[in-house]
Structure formats: structure tokens, C-alpha cells
Amino acid sequence: MSSTTKSITEAEIEAEFSHHDPTMARINNGSFGSCPKSIISAQQQYQLQFLQQPDHFYFNTLKSSMLNSRKLIQSLVNAENVDEISIVDNATTAAAVVLQHITWSFFSSQFQPGDAAVMLHYAYGSVKSSVHAYFARAGGRVIEVHLPFPLCSNEEIVSEFDQALKRAKMNGGKIRLAVIDHITSMPSVVIPVKELVQMCRNDGVDVIFVDGAHAIGNVEIDVRDIGADFYTSNLHKWFFTPPSAAFLYCKRSDKGSNVHHPVVSVEYGNGLAIESAWIGTRDYSAQLVIPEVVEFVNRFEGGIEGIRKRNCDMVVEMAEMLVKAWGTELGTPIEMCSSMAMVGMPACLGISGNKDALNLRTHLRVTFKVEVPIYYRAPLEGEVNPITGYARISHQVYNTIEDYYTFRDAIIKLVNDDFTCAILSN
């Protein structure tokens, strides 16, 4: 933001998100993100241009606009070359790109049956499924890193990851792939990704893929400093694009020289970035509005860095307010929070499984107009009156303190009414 440009006002922020349901306390930005009105308008202009004259749009607008978007992402994540940046639909698509590439290494006998992949137990469901669908079906074995929760420190993560690497290398085993989250989804934890990548390098892991689905707009990303071979992040979660848009960084090396999009088009063989920019006739508008998004975030003091800091500060403040009101605890230290935090819920609610967590989430939405995901954490043997439910609260620029007060008061009412999740099951 230049010195002559005024910062966006609270009224302007409210106007940008006035299409949100005003009756809902929407503290779940982490699931689907949010898109300002000005960006929706820009997207609609691209859509209209295509519908008015598709041939002109294809030959004269699409490729140059996609390149502009890729250049901006390159700068945001500190990639060395724009050719390292491809734009895809989402992190799930990016995972398919990487894992398809890995699978060919089995077919070419570069990798052997029994070679290992290591990933976090907390990995996002679709990414875990992709690892099994591609890597395991090709003959690899999958080793999951089981992390404790609640977490007390990064050292717990590093220790468990180190043990998993040792297990994978037993009896001369080779680790061909490591999948590392930058921020896990449920439970939400900021992972010491650079340290884990270095551990993989030290242990000779062939390919390192970082799933940063929640990262861009949420935490700092420096792909050169992180040092992974592949890195992906959704742009529609915390960077205000419409769905669906994500980037995939492929470090320039022999490992990334033969990577292809799983949807084969006429651009096959022209490099992943060009292949991804045309996978057939479809709506590319969400991927073209990156320049307008950059303009939007630069209306805030400090730009995207300022947004990240304020979101993190506010989600921590709101999380601490909630645990104080409910007599519970956070799921992680505050330094392991991003713009999301895990907040312990009163044990008396009786959350005894994933079904209870989902039923309670629905009850909060329908009865109290609160949208928030709930994580079930199985109690350990011998625990007395343990916290088994944790709400993952998010903070984005449109949120107000009243959103979190609504959530606080809803839980207090449930507790005072002697509510338990068993009532919903019945």
C-alpha cells in the first residue's frame, strides 16, 4: 500500500463481505475460505469476456493473464523461476500431479515394491487417500507419523517424525516420498516444516512434497528456504480468490522435469505450468484474478503480512477468551496457531466419537447459527474427565468479536441445560 493510499475501512470490509449470511457466526474460514465482492466482480468480468468471444479470449487473454497470475505467485512464495509455478484447481489436484509422477518411478523400476512413503497421521483425508491410491497401489508401503494431541511443543513433532523415518529405514528400507503438512487441517497445527524437510534430506528421502493447503495468506511461505521438491497451497482458503484455485511449486531439478497434469490436453509435453493452464474448455476465471486479489490485500495496512498477523493475534485472543469462559484449554501453544486455533470444549458435552462431533456441529449451525468444525480426540487410557472435543476456530478480516461471543454463549447455554451429545443421537 502506497503512502498516499488510504487503508481499507471497517465499513468497506463489511461491504466487501455483505453477501455472507448475516445471521451466521461464520468462524470456519478454514474450510472453504471467503471471497470479497470486488474479486467476485472481477471474476465475472473474465467469465463474461469468455462468453462474449471465446476465441479471442483463448488466443489473446487466457495465456497472458495466467502468466501474470503465476508471476505474482512466484513473488509471493519466493520461487526462483516462474516456470516453477503452476496453477491448478486445489491442493488435491496438486497431490494427484505429484503422486502420479511418483507412481511412474515404480513402473520404470527406479523405485521398488516395499519402498516407503512417510506422512503425518493428521494429513488431509484426500491427500492420504491419494497416497494410498497411487503410491501404495504401485507397490509402496505407507508409514504414518502418529502425533499426540493436545501438543505441547514442536519437539514432540520432530521426535515422532524422526522415529517414523527410522522405522521406514529398518532392514535397509528406502524412503522414496515424504508428505509433510505445513498446517494440518484437523486438528489445526502449524508444523515445523523446514526442520522436517531437512531431516528428510539428511536421511536421503528421494522426493519431499509439502501440503500447504492452508498456508498462503495464513503463514509466511518461502519455498526456497523450506527446500522441498514440491509445495502446494490453496489460494481460495486464505488468499481471497474464488474457488477453485491453488498453486503447485515444482523445484527446478531432474525430479521435476517429467511432471505432468493428470488431465491430458493438447498442451501435453509443454511443461506442467502450460499443461495446467489449459486442461480443456472450462472456467479459468478463479485463477486469473490474482492481480485483483493482490490489489485487495494491499488495501490493508501491512498488506498480506499485516492481515496474517492480525488474524493470528485475534484468533489467539478469541481462543483464550473461550477457554477461560468454558474452563478448558487450548489444543496447542499459541505459537503453533495460525489464523486457526483448537479450543477445548467442556467435557460434560459428552463428545464420544466423530459422529457426536458432527452432530454437535450441525446442532450449533441449526439452533445457534454458529458455523464451526469440531474435532474428536479419543481419550487416553486412565484419563479422568478428559476433553474429547476441540473446536477449530478461524479468524478472517470479516469476523467480529460478536461471532465468538455467540459461540461462547451457545456452549454455556448447552452446559447449563445439562445437554449431552447423546440427546442428538436419540
Side-chain angles (χ1 to χ4, degrees):
M1 185 173 66
S2 69
S3 57
T4 58
T5 304
K6 289 184 178 180
S7 297
I8 190 170
T9 65
E10 291 298 324
E12 288 171 331
I13 294 172
E14 186 175 347
E16 284 279 14
F17 296 95
S18 60
H19 52 288
H20 286 190
D21 183 345
T23 69
M24 292 296 297
R26 181 171 165 171
I27 52 177
N28 181 31
N29 192 82
S31 284
F32 300 105
S34 51
C35 186
K37 271 190 173 180
S38 58
I39 306 304
I40 296 172
S41 178
Q43 179 189 28
Q44 290 171 341
Q45 288 301 309
Y46 279 114
Q47 291 170 330
L48 187 59
Q49 286 178 44
F50 175 76
L51 294 171
Q52 286 173 332
Q53 226 296 34
D55 295 85
H56 181 273
F57 187 86
Y58 174 76
F59 286 106
N60 298 293
T61 302
L62 180 60
K63 289 185 179 180
S64 60
S65 297
M66 194 71 78
L67 179 59
N68 287 339
S69 289
R70 289 169 51 219
K71 286 179 177 177
L72 288 168
I73 297 167
Q74 175 198 357
S75 176
L76 286 164
V77 303
N78 195 32
E80 185 176 359
N81 191 289
V82 71
D83 291 336
E84 296 176 317
I85 301 296
S86 302
I87 302 181
V88 296
D89 281 352
N90 47 45
T92 301
T93 303
V97 171
V98 174
L99 289 161
Q100 175 186 251
H101 174 64
I102 297 294
T103 300
W104 281 108
S105 296
F106 282 98
F107 295 160
S108 66
S109 299
Q110 182 182 349
F111 296 170
Q112 301 298 319
D115 288 349
V118 174
M119 67 176 175
L120 303 185
H121 177 65
Y122 292 166
Y124 189 62
S126 64
V127 175
K128 291 177 76 169
S129 295
S130 294
V131 171
H132 286 281
Y134 285 96
F135 191 89
R137 286 178 66 196
R141 58 192 174 99
V142 180
I143 295 176
E144 294 190 10
V145 184
H146 288 265
L147 300 179
F149 189 81
L151 277 160
C152 296
S153 69
N154 282 333
E155 285 69 27
E156 291 176 290
I157 299 173
V158 170
S159 175
E160 292 297 327
F161 196 81
D162 182 59
Q163 292 301 314
L165 292 176
K166 285 183 169 64
R167 290 198 305 274
K169 292 171 64 179
M170 287 177 63
N171 302 316
K174 295 185 181 297
I175 309 173
R176 299 302 191 179
L177 171 68
V179 181
I180 304 170
D181 298 73
H182 198 156
I183 305 171
T184 56
S185 179
M186 284 289 267
S188 179
V189 180
V190 177
I191 301 296
V193 62
K194 182 180 176 181
E195 188 169 355
L196 300 192
V197 168
Q198 188 57 55
M199 291 168 65
C200 291
R201 292 287 180 223
N202 294 343
D203 273 355
V205 177
D206 286 82
V207 178
I208 305 169
F209 171 43
V210 173
D211 176 9
H214 284 276
I216 192 165
N218 199 351
V219 293
E220 181 182 3
I221 302 174
D222 185 329
V223 292
R224 280 192 269 184
D225 185 54
I226 290 169
D229 300 299
F230 300 96
Y231 187 108
T232 188
S233 187
N234 288 317
L235 296 156
H236 54 259
K237 282 190 181 288
W238 293 96
F239 198 64
F240 301 109
T241 72
S244 297
F247 76 86
L248 173 60
Y249 161 81
C250 303
K251 185 177 181 180
R252 295 182 81 179
S253 68
D254 292 340
K255 296 174 186 176
S257 62
N258 196 31
V259 180
H260 297 285
H261 198 285
V263 178
V264 177
S265 76
V266 295
E267 297 291 0
Y268 180 81
N270 291 328
L272 179 64
I274 303 303
E275 291 180 12
S276 301
W278 182 259
I279 55 172
T281 302
R282 50 155 292 171
D283 184 2
Y284 293 92
S285 58
Q287 303 175 2
L288 305 182
V289 296
I290 308 303
E292 289 81 1
V293 171
V294 170
E295 288 181 12
F296 173 76
V297 299
N298 284 339
R299 293 168 64 189
F300 290 79
E301 184 177 353
I304 194 61
E305 294 84 2
I307 292 172
R308 286 200 315 255
K309 184 179 186 306
R310 284 189 291 276
N311 280 340
C312 182
D313 289 347
M314 282 303 300
V315 85
V316 167
E317 182 180 337
M318 294 299 97
E320 290 179 330
M321 178 272 293
L322 291 172
V323 297
K324 182 177 180 181
W326 299 338
T328 60
E329 61 185 23
L330 297 178
T332 70
I334 60 173
E335 58 269 19
M336 299 175 79
C337 298
S338 55
S339 300
M340 300 181 287
M342 301 300 295
V343 180
M345 305 182 75
C348 62
L349 295 175
I351 301 170
S352 59
N354 291 321
K355 184 178 180 181
D356 282 346
L358 184 59
N359 286 344
L360 179 56
R361 175 179 180 174
T362 302
H363 186 60
L364 287 166
R365 179 191 307 122
V366 173
T367 306
F368 297 98
K369 298 294 185 181
V370 175
E371 188 62 67
V372 64
I374 297 170
Y375 173 73
Y376 168 67
R377 170 246 178 199
L380 301 176
E381 186 176 350
E383 279 191 294
V384 178
N385 202 32
I387 296 173
T388 56
Y390 286 80
R392 188 192 72 186
I393 64 169
S394 299
H395 189 279
Q396 186 51 287
V397 297
Y398 57 80
N399 283 120
T400 65
I401 292 176
E402 285 70 27
D403 294 332
Y404 305 91
Y405 287 168
T406 300
F407 183 32
R408 176 197 65 189
D409 295 345
I411 297 301
I412 289 174
K413 184 178 190 312
L414 291 176
V415 170
N416 290 340
D417 290 347
D418 295 324
F419 167 92
T420 70
C421 287
I423 295 171
L424 301 178
S425 298
N426 296 332

